[in-house]
Amino acid sequence: MRKGDSMTKIIIDALGSDEGPEMVGEALKLALEERDFSAVFVGPKDIYAKYFSSENRVSLIEATEYIANTDSPARAIRRKKDASVVLGLEALNESGDVFLTAGSTGALLAGAYFITRRIEGIQRACLGATIPNPSGGTILVDTGANADTTPSMLYEFAILGSSFAEHTLHRKNPRVGLLNIGTEEGKGDKRTQEAYELLKESPLNFVGNVEARELLSGSCDVLVTDGFVGNVALKSLEGTAKTLFSRIKTGIYSSLRTKIGGMLLKPVFAGLSKDYNYQEHGGAPLLGTRKALFKAHGNSSTKTFRLAILEALEYGENFDEEEIIQQLKEIHDGKSSN
Amino acid sequence: MRKGDSMTKIIIDALGSDEGPEMVGEALKLALEERDFSAVFVGPKDIYAKYFSSENRVSLIEATEYIANTDSPARAIRRKKDASVVLGLEALNESGDVFLTAGSTGALLAGAYFITRRIEGIQRACLGATIPNPSGGTILVDTGANADTTPSMLYEFAILGSSFAEHTLHRKNPRVGLLNIGTEEGKGDKRTQEAYELLKESPLNFVGNVEARELLSGSCDVLVTDGFVGNVALKSLEGTAKTLFSRIKTGIYSSLRTKIGGMLLKPVFAGLSKDYNYQEHGGAPLLGTRKALFKAHGNSSTKTFRLAILEALEYGENFDEEEIIQQLKEIHDGKSSN
């Protein structure tokens, strides 16, 4: 939560990304040139010294250990007391607006459960990814935090996604859709059918079933689904865009004629590539936690991680646990009065 | 099953598509100009008379009733005795190599269960869609016939998909992948984890977990998943390709410079659009049934339906129930000897 006029404070886990702590140092330096905020660098002392010895907005929490993707997250978060994600989340609990990591998603999730805790009444935290579209983006929840969900969990994802869309993406009365394999009521698997009933009765602005074909159309602000399905939908989108761009590129380089064509169309491709290359998007919030947590891609480049820092700051500044609790309460009240 | 040197016989449901029976008549006429086969047109007498009065390769089963997408499939298939899909499947049981419809998928599935029946030992029939890629295509099973599956059903989809890849797509020892949200063993929801164990122990050429990002890479010949997830993956792919092409088109028309660029790149886009526009692909087999059944898109154009006829003929010619039963048997023997 924003504290009056003081600078927003971000805690950054410098370990666990594919690129290592140097990348994080560079990205943070770039972000600080662009915006004024304070940061805690959780990582190796030498990297901190290299980038921030004369930068008084950045402080250090020394860490050399981290939780790898191959570790069992729940066990590691309780045993590896000196891991960067543990030290970072503890620092966030003490003082800070948002935490950012490009490390293990499992570790972040376990840390959210054991260190920062979930919001009262929320069964599961979920990952939201913003899908680019002409309406400014749809937040897809969950994109991979939970692979086995129940209808009531999907309902909670809808509440959390709606709150994020309203406060961080600044949408009025966000339209909530349910990812399904047909638009008619009664379509889909049992879980989705039951979630439909819950959403239909809720005070959320539920617009019904939405097919994966509509992911990029912007027909809703929030698209709710299970973490397994959401992850598949997102990666299918990313993989398709990547393959198409790569095939266009190969086609362009195939002859002089097409090379000239490619040159003339450069502005068109540049805009598209920015929207559909997930490396151009910073990351995703972990919703449902008592503190603002943000996940950057494990293979983030300096450019992407810099963007993730800016996005995380935006999320941290607009995050208000009390407001979400109030919304949950209103929804429960709304439901009981129906 | 192919009957000696006689012509392949396809039974075509002319009703239930968005475009209506005229489109089916036109498409069949075009296909007959291209290939020699015999067909049964199940639809209105006047359309048959218009297109095939002087064509002795096409016979008529008159039908004016059909099962709509809004009907309850299982009930309709038993009650609407004169519906085109019912008459067509009964004709297939009597004599025919393959049945093709652009009508309700639910009705086809119900017809497969109640009229043509499943192959012995198969719990569920599943839809396979061929995803284009440099290796000649990956068959994704199931793409929507079953929204609630068990691990043993996924295992059967793998067997059926592998058989289709071998016999219709002519792949030697097809590589079978499991659609998952990570490549490591142990990833995913419970259903997928259990299916992994079954596939690992099977004599199929199992290559492990495959992420949705790889859909277009051709890293496997068969990609196994639940019908809900497969449908989402496929529609996400289609929607992304469609949106990208539409945005490129808009970009091209935005200025003289880009219009010239678009003209020069026309051959590049034409090839891509053919691969990734699902309207360019005819349809998908319904696997696991005792007869060859093929589903065309509900919104098929004449051009697409013509292609569906040719694909369905290919499937019908290579379909051999006995061979699948033998494969199932070999796999069960293989398992018990492990």
Side-chain angles (χ1 to χ4, degrees), chain A residues 78-91:
Chain A
R78 282 173 295 186
R79 293 197 185 167
K80 286 190 165 181
K81 294 290 178 205
D82 293 330
S84 56
V85 63
V86 174
L87 297 174
L89 289 174
E90 282 169 353

Side-chain angles (χ1 to χ4, degrees), chain B:
Chain B
M1 203 186 311
R2 192 80 184 268
K3 281 158 208 72
D5 288 331
S6 70
M7 278 196 292
T8 306
K9 182 174 172 185
I10 183 170
I11 322 278
I12 300 180
D13 176 8
L15 297 173
S17 82
D18 299 350
E19 296 296 320
E22 286 258 8
M23 175 281 284
V24 173
E26 270 177 52
L28 177 54
K29 208 175 161 70
L30 289 173
L32 282 162
E33 284 166 14
E34 203 158 325
R35 270 205 49 176
D36 202 19
F37 59 93
S38 76
V40 178
F41 183 89
V42 189
K45 201 174 178 175
D46 57 333
I47 308 288
Y48 171 79
K50 179 174 170 186
Y51 289 95
F52 309 110
S53 56
S54 61
E55 171 60 83
N56 58 22
R57 290 175 295 176
V58 183
S59 60
L60 170 74
I61 292 179
E62 202 178 343
T64 51
E65 226 187 311
Y66 68 95
I67 299 177
N69 281 317
T70 46
D71 288 327
S72 160
R75 195 187 307 161
I77 212 84
R78 281 174 294 184
R79 294 195 185 169
K80 285 190 166 181
K81 294 290 177 203
D82 294 328
S84 56
V85 64
V86 174
L87 297 175
L89 290 174
E90 282 169 353
L92 180 70
N93 272 348
E94 268 175 47
S95 124
D97 298 296
V98 60
F99 173 81
L100 171 66
T101 182
S104 151
T105 305
L108 178 63
L109 196 58
Y113 281 51
F114 294 112
I115 302 170
T116 55
R117 309 274 170 188
R118 275 159 292 164
I119 291 172
E120 207 185 313
I122 290 290
Q123 302 170 75
R124 296 284 182 92
C126 63
L127 275 169
T130 308
I131 313 282
N133 59 43
S135 324
T138 292
I139 172 116
L140 180 67
V141 282
D142 176 23
T143 54
N146 308 282
D148 285 289
T149 55
T150 62
S152 68
M153 288 175 198
L154 294 186
Y155 180 56
E156 287 174 14
F157 299 168
I159 294 168
L160 293 168
S162 182
S163 169
F164 181 83
E166 190 170 345
H167 297 289
T168 302
L169 304 179
H170 310 294
R171 304 285 160 78
K172 291 253 174 256
N173 198 20
R175 296 158 302 162
V176 176
L178 180 64
L179 185 60
N180 206 332
I181 60 174
T183 52
E184 305 90 339
E185 192 170 341
K187 279 275 177 182
D189 55 0
K190 285 195 195 78
R191 171 174 59 197
T192 309
Q193 286 168 359
E194 286 175 34
Y196 188 100
E197 293 305 317
L198 293 174
L199 288 166
K200 202 174 70 173
E201 297 298 322
S202 82
L204 291 170
N205 183 10
F206 181 52
V207 297
N209 291 324
V210 171
E211 289 194 275
R213 214 176 263 150
E214 300 292 311
L215 269 175
L216 294 168
S217 74
S219 59
C220 58
D221 300 298
V222 182
L223 189 51
V224 176
T225 191
D226 160 71
F228 190 95
V229 180
N231 193 275
V232 165
L234 189 64
K235 285 180 180 160
S236 174
L237 186 162
E238 289 172 356
T240 304
K242 198 176 164 189
T243 304
L244 284 178
F245 286 127
S246 140
R247 285 198 52 185
I248 289 172
K249 205 170 173 181
T250 309
I252 286 173
Y253 283 106
S254 66
S255 75
L256 182 61
R257 169 191 164 149
T258 50
K259 272 181 199 161
I260 297 168
M263 207 185 65
L264 294 172
L265 282 181
K266 213 169 177 179
V268 175
F269 293 134
L272 278 175
S273 157
K274 194 171 178 315
D275 273 2
Y276 299 109
N277 181 354
Y278 68 99
Q279 270 284 1
E280 297 269 350
H281 297 278
L286 185 66
L287 303 170
T289 58
R290 298 196 59 188
K291 293 279 180 173
L293 307 182
F294 210 79
K295 172 75 180 82
H297 291 286
N299 58 356
S300 292
S301 62
T302 305
K303 191 175 154 195
T304 326
F305 200 81
R306 177 198 132 273
L307 196 61
I309 294 171
L310 300 175
E311 289 176 6
L313 288 167
E314 174 79 11
Y315 177 43
E317 281 159 8
N318 290 288
F319 181 82
D320 194 330
E321 187 196 354
E322 290 308 320
E323 203 159 30
I324 295 174
I325 292 174
Q326 188 54 38
Q327 284 201 330
L328 280 168
K329 198 178 163 304
E330 278 167 25
I331 279 166
H332 285 299
D333 292 352
K335 278 195 76 177
S336 57
S337 72
N338 275 342

Side-chain angles (χ1 to χ4, degrees), chain A residues 211 235 247 257 264 275, chain B residues 211 235 247 257 275:
Chain A
E211 290 194 273
K235 285 180 181 160
R247 285 198 53 184
R257 169 192 166 149
L264 294 172
D275 273 3
Chain B
E211 289 194 275
K235 285 180 180 160
R247 285 198 52 185
R257 169 191 164 149
D275 273 2

Side-chain angles (χ1 to χ4, degrees), chain A:
Chain A
M1 203 185 316
R2 192 81 187 264
K3 280 158 207 74
D5 288 330
S6 70
M7 278 197 292
T8 306
K9 183 175 173 183
I10 185 169
I11 321 279
I12 299 179
D13 176 7
L15 297 173
S17 83
D18 299 349
E19 297 296 320
E22 286 258 6
M23 176 282 285
V24 174
E26 271 177 50
L28 177 54
K29 208 175 162 68
L30 289 173
L32 282 162
E33 283 166 14
E34 203 159 326
R35 270 205 49 177
D36 202 19
F37 60 92
S38 77
V40 178
F41 182 90
V42 188
K45 201 174 179 175
D46 57 333
I47 309 287
Y48 172 79
K50 178 174 170 188
Y51 290 95
F52 309 111
S53 56
S54 61
E55 171 61 82
N56 58 22
R57 291 175 295 177
V58 183
S59 60
L60 170 74
I61 293 179
E62 202 179 344
T64 50
E65 226 187 313
Y66 68 95
I67 299 178
N69 280 318
T70 46
D71 289 327
S72 160
R75 195 187 308 162
I77 212 85
R78 282 173 295 186
R79 293 197 185 167
K80 286 190 165 181
K81 294 290 178 205
D82 293 330
S84 56
V85 63
V86 174
L87 297 174
L89 289 174
E90 282 169 353
L92 180 71
N93 273 347
E94 268 176 44
S95 124
D97 298 297
V98 61
F99 173 81
L100 172 66
T101 181
S104 151
T105 305
L108 178 64
L109 196 60
Y113 281 51
F114 293 112
I115 302 171
T116 55
R117 308 276 170 187
R118 273 160 295 164
I119 290 171
E120 207 185 314
I122 289 291
Q123 302 170 75
R124 295 286 181 92
C126 62
L127 274 169
T130 308
I131 312 282
N133 59 42
S135 325
T138 291
I139 171 115
L140 179 68
V141 281
D142 175 23
T143 54
N146 309 280
D148 285 289
T149 55
T150 62
S152 68
M153 288 176 197
L154 293 186
Y155 180 56
E156 286 175 15
F157 299 167
I159 295 168
L160 294 167
S162 183
S163 169
F164 181 82
E166 189 171 345
H167 297 290
T168 301
L169 305 179
H170 311 294
R171 305 285 162 79
K172 289 255 173 255
N173 198 21
R175 296 159 303 162
V176 176
L178 181 63
L179 185 60
N180 207 331
I181 60 174
T183 53
E184 305 90 339
E185 193 171 340
K187 279 274 177 184
D189 55 359
K190 286 197 195 77
R191 171 174 60 198
T192 309
Q193 286 168 358
E194 287 175 33
Y196 188 101
E197 293 306 315
L198 293 174
L199 289 166
K200 201 173 72 170
E201 298 297 323
S202 82
L204 291 169
N205 183 11
F206 181 53
V207 297
N209 291 324
V210 171
E211 290 194 273
R213 214 175 263 150
E214 300 291 310
L215 269 174
L216 294 168
S217 73
S219 59
C220 59
D221 300 298
V222 182
L223 189 51
V224 176
T225 191
D226 159 73
F228 190 95
V229 180
N231 192 275
V232 165
L234 189 64
K235 285 180 181 160
S236 174
L237 186 161
E238 288 172 358
T240 305
K242 200 177 165 189
T243 303
L244 283 178
F245 286 128
S246 140
R247 285 198 53 184
I248 290 172
K249 207 171 172 180
T250 308
I252 286 173
Y253 282 106
S254 65
S255 75
L256 182 61
R257 169 192 166 149
T258 50
K259 272 181 198 159
I260 296 168
M263 208 184 65
L264 294 172
L265 282 181
K266 213 170 176 178
V268 175
F269 294 135
L272 279 176
S273 157
K274 194 172 179 313
D275 273 3
Y276 299 110
N277 181 353
Y278 68 98
Q279 269 284 3
E280 296 270 350
H281 297 278
L286 186 66
L287 303 171
T289 58
R290 299 196 57 187
K291 293 278 182 174
L293 308 181
F294 210 78
K295 171 76 180 81
H297 291 287
N299 58 355
S300 292
S301 62
T302 305
K303 192 175 154 194
T304 325
F305 200 81
R306 174 198 136 272
L307 195 61
I309 294 171
L310 300 175
E311 288 176 6
L313 288 167
E314 174 78 13
Y315 177 43
E317 279 159 10
N318 290 287
F319 180 83
D320 193 329
E321 186 196 356
E322 291 308 320
E323 204 158 28
I324 294 173
I325 292 174
Q326 188 54 38
Q327 283 200 331
L328 279 169
K329 199 177 162 305
E330 277 167 26
I331 279 167
H332 286 300
D333 292 351
K335 278 194 78 176
S336 58
S337 73
N338 275 341

